[in-house]
Amino acid sequence: MDVGGIGVERLSGTGALPVANATYVFSGEYAGVRTLYPDTRNPQEQIQYVTGTTEITVDIEDYDETGSVRGLVLDRKVFDAMGVELTETNATGDTVGDATYLRLDPNTINFENWSIDSGNMQMVRRNGPDAGTPAGEIGGRWSGLFAGPNGEEVAGIVVVQGETPVGIDPVSGEYVEVTVREVGSFVGER
């Protein structure tokens, strides 16, 4: 599976998880590339990088027997095109990485090939009065697959687009927000 230059592939095993009617948690890492689109505040297209940690929860046979999987991308850190972390803080002491997390909404499992169907996701505000709500109209899609002889790993692709914090205004101390397309990948082990 390949989206926007990011790909995941199962190299061995079926990816089948070993025990039916079980719940599994996969923990791992996330990395992505953010394209900042030009606008009046940001006249040139730019690139940023982002890293984070993932937690993917899997219920093989939930109530409707389609399987259920959902996840989070937390502890986000944002880097400029040269790989330098953006550590400036806003008025409340948060960095650009602290502004949001990714919520991978509940999705179904294709048991024929042990993949995760394409499903919705949101970039969610982490702090402030809007904490826990989607950051503007920032939505996207995610999908994945299980790998290994007994489904020891899960890997996936995330694509999200919308207006999101990309820096801190040095005068006001507020986030600078522009339209961003983020394409990333995660891998986790159980």
Side-chain angles (χ1 to χ4, degrees):
M1 116 187 11
D2 182 356
V3 175
I6 301 273
V8 295
E9 180 180 0
R10 182 183 303 126
L11 298 177
S12 67
T14 64
L17 291 165
V19 179
N21 299 318
T23 301
Y24 297 90
V25 177
F26 294 80
S27 299
E29 298 178 3
Y30 172 84
V33 177
R34 295 168 24 133
T35 303
L36 286 56
Y37 291 104
D39 69 9
T40 56
R41 295 161 293 182
N42 181 45
Q44 296 180 348
E45 184 175 286
Q46 298 176 7
I47 298 292
Q48 290 181 339
Y49 303 103
V50 61
T51 63
T53 60
T54 60
E55 183 175 296
I56 309 296
T57 305
V58 178
D59 184 356
I60 291 182
E61 290 197 40
D62 64 353
Y63 69 93
D64 62 5
E65 297 183 3
T66 62
S68 177
V69 57
R70 68 183 68 210
L72 296 170
V73 177
L74 305 167
D75 306 319
R76 290 165 56 85
K77 294 182 180 179
V78 178
F79 302 84
D80 67 16
M82 300 302 291
V84 177
E85 184 178 358
L86 302 178
T87 58
E88 300 88 1
T89 58
N90 68 4
T92 59
D94 297 320
T95 67
V96 174
D98 293 330
T100 57
Y101 66 90
L102 301 181
R103 183 184 69 211
L104 310 178
D105 292 338
N107 208 343
T108 57
I109 300 168
N110 180 332
F111 292 113
E112 289 182 20
N113 61 11
W114 284 92
S115 65
I116 301 167
D117 296 332
S118 178
N120 294 327
M121 58 155 300
Q122 295 286 327
M123 184 175 286
V124 179
R125 294 192 184 279
R126 188 176 154 273
N127 294 320
D130 297 324
T133 62
E137 294 297 319
I138 301 183
R141 306 290 290 169
W142 76 286
S143 57
L145 54 83
F146 298 96
N150 292 301
E152 292 87 356
E153 293 185 337
V154 64
I157 297 171
V158 169
V159 179
V160 61
Q161 183 167 322
E163 193 164 289
T164 189
V166 297
I168 307 291
D169 184 304
V171 175
S172 69
E174 299 298 320
Y175 288 123
V176 174
E177 297 191 17
V178 300
T179 301
V180 170
R181 181 174 195 257
E182 181 172 321
V183 178
S185 182
F186 64 85
V187 62
E189 296 181 347
R190 61 178 169 84

